[in-house]
Amino acid sequence: MVWKWLGALLLFPVQMLYLVVKAAVCLVLPPRMRDLSRDSVLVTGGGRGIGRHLAREFARRGARKIILWGRTEKCLKETTEEIRMMGTECHYFICDVGNREEVYRQAKAVREKVGDITILVNNAAVVHGKSLMDSDDDALLKSQHINTLGQFWTTKAFLPRMLELQNGHIVCLNSVLALSAIPGAIDYCTSKASSFAFMESLTLGLLDCPGVNATTVLPFHTSTEMFQGMRIRFPSLFPPLKPETVARRTVEAVQMNQAFLLLPWTMHVLVILKSILPQAALEEIHKFSGSYTCMNTFKGRT
């Protein structure tokens, strides 16, 4: 038994070195891309914003079917018609992912009308955009129900069948604010941090599940209606991401089976700095970059 543990201990650094080298090689030699031609993709919050661009990108890359969930029928209908004009089968269902019973009911309707879902994209999110003391209790609850608990319900609704088929992918559109919070968006930052922990746990839990994987995308501020009015102090140095860029990189990450994706790559520096710098230094970075006051002009989706 002692020799067995000693052997495992000696082998561990070798395994780590192998995985690091393998990852470096994959950066130079792109891995085999997933063929989407047999996939049915469901995008929550798919009527507008990043969700609409995700639907376009999956369709452009050959997905077999696109299913859109959202709360605003007008937006869902417009996006559905656009995807159909691209030559891809598309359906929409009105669904509030924060409502557990509605999620389960509509998931059943999707299976009966469209068939099995092989790629689930948890994109739906809301932001209240106020400090804790200025926030309405119901608005705070709404953020947690949609941004965090909604992923529990959608994943529980579709993951069992993916495991049976040994074919599936769970995708989470998260935010870099899950790793580095800012004032004025306490509801959003909290819910995204919870969502990130959910995906970390889920990703590890799927390691022994052949054919089923997960991808978490953490983008920097993206220029959509949801964060309308948010101001960065140095927009030329830290320009907001375009939603079509986030969508393209997300679909690529799914096709390459990439577990975690930070956008842009410079966000890795932020994670490293947060790990090594004292809190006082981090506070000065927030003040200097303008993230300390960036939500002061926030208006949100009208």
Side-chain angles (χ1 to χ4, degrees), residues 61-113:
R61 290 175 181 257
R64 183 185 175 196
K65 300 177 184 178
I66 305 292
I67 298 89
L68 307 176
W69 276 12
R71 296 179 295 162
T72 308
E73 185 171 15
K74 181 178 181 292
C75 297
L76 291 170
K77 191 173 182 179
E78 290 174 354
T79 306
T80 298
E81 291 174 353
E82 181 181 344
I83 299 303
R84 287 173 178 171
M85 289 184 67
M86 294 174 66
T88 302
E89 181 179 342
C90 188
H91 306 267
Y92 75 86
F93 297 78
I94 298 175
C95 183
D96 178 1
V97 297
N99 186 319
R100 180 183 57 188
E101 290 76 15
E102 191 172 334
V103 167
Y104 292 161
R105 182 170 64 252
Q106 292 293 46
K108 181 180 179 182
V110 168
R111 285 189 290 268
E112 292 174 350
K113 181 178 179 179

Side-chain angles (χ1 to χ4, degrees), residues 163 166 203-212:
L163 295 173
Q166 294 189 353
T203 302
L204 291 173
L206 292 174
L207 289 178
D208 295 324
C209 300
V212 182

Side-chain angles (χ1 to χ4, degrees), residues 196-267:
F196 180 68
F198 169 81
M199 286 302 295
E200 272 196 309
S201 180
L202 180 68
T203 302
L204 291 173
L206 292 174
L207 289 178
D208 295 324
C209 300
V212 182
N213 301 287
T215 293
T216 303
V217 182
L218 300 108
F220 180 61
H221 169 48
T222 306
S223 55
T224 62
E225 289 182 351
M226 191 167 77
F227 274 94
Q228 186 177 354
M230 181 179 178
R231 293 287 181 267
I232 302 297
R233 186 178 182 184
F234 303 109
S236 299
L237 188 60
F238 302 106
L241 294 169
K242 296 179 180 179
E244 52 267 36
T245 300
V246 175
R248 176 177 56 82
R249 293 294 306 277
T250 297
V251 179
E252 288 176 354
V254 172
Q255 290 188 282
M256 294 188 295
N257 193 24
Q258 184 174 348
F260 296 96
L261 173 64
L262 276 163
L263 294 174
W265 68 268
T266 50
M267 292 299 103

